[in-house]
Every structure is written in C-alpha cells, then in structure tokens.
Amino acid sequence: MEILTILIPVSLFLGGVGLAAFFWALRKGQFDDPDGNAHRILRTDYDDKPKQ
C-alpha cells in the first residue's frame, strides 16, 4: 500500500509531461497538415537534398 504513495505522484508527473509535450507539438504546428507530408514525398518534384 505504501508503494501507491510513490506510484501516484510518478504517474501524475509522467502524465503531465506527456500533456505538456502534446501542447508543445500542437503549438509548433506538428498537426497542421499530417497528410501533406505523406503526399508531398510521393511527388516527382520533391527534393530531399539539402540546399547549398
């Protein structure tokens, strides 16, 4: 039963870290166009080489 005093705060902390990461990704625009990248890589004019 004493293990719950450790596991509950640890699980709340990990849940908070996951939630913070989700909001960070949402703010950075990671979910704006999820299908665009999948279609863009199949196009012939897609250039994956770095610009010089």
Side-chain angles (χ1 to χ4, degrees):
M1 198 64 164
E2 294 143 1
I3 193 71
L4 289 178
T5 59
I6 296 170
L7 289 179
I8 289 174
V10 168
S11 65
L12 288 175
F13 174 73
L14 290 176
V17 168
L19 190 63
F22 172 73
F23 283 117
W24 175 81
L26 192 64
R27 189 176 302 168
K28 292 293 182 177
Q30 296 292 319
F31 304 111
D32 286 348
D33 187 18
D35 291 333
N37 290 332
H39 293 284
R40 198 172 306 123
I41 199 167
L42 297 175
R43 294 176 49 183
T44 57
D45 59 344
Y46 176 73
D47 185 18
D48 61 345
K49 295 178 182 160
K51 306 283 187 233
Q52 294 182 6

